[in-house]
Amino acid sequence: MANLPAVGSMVHSVSGPSMAMNGVVLAHDSNAWGEFALVLMHSGKIERCNGLNSRPGIGWHAGSHVCGYVESLPEMDYGNYD
């Protein structure tokens, strides 16, 4: 089993220098290629985390990251609903 973050925990994804985004783990799931965590990113996208990195660098890490810090989530637009 991969080093998956716990459901409800805060994680961040690093994709390059000063490029990080925070998120919250929603659930664990699996498919033919293995287990993964579903992460709701602060941008509103849902991403798959295949495991946490144990060293600095590109990938998934436990906890929030100051470069990816968002004080509040964006407001939802419910204008398309009756």
Side-chain angles (χ1 to χ4, degrees):
M1 175 171 15
N3 181 24
L4 294 180
V7 174
S9 65
M10 191 73 148
V11 294
H12 66 277
S13 173
V14 176
S15 58
S18 300
M19 296 176 69
M21 180 59 73
N22 293 324
V24 177
V25 179
L26 298 176
H28 290 173
D29 201 357
S30 63
N31 59 21
W33 295 276
E35 295 183 20
F36 55 90
L38 292 173
V39 180
L40 175 60
M41 306 306 287
H42 283 180
S43 66
K45 285 182 66 177
I46 294 181
E47 301 283 349
R48 289 183 182 182
C49 168
N50 294 320
L52 296 175
N53 287 356
S54 58
R55 313 181 289 186
I58 291 175
W60 290 95
H61 303 274
S64 61
H65 190 281
V66 292
C67 289
Y69 178 74
V70 176
E71 189 166 323
S72 62
L73 295 176
E75 288 292 321
M76 295 297 293
D77 178 11
Y78 296 104
N80 295 330
Y81 296 98
D82 291 330

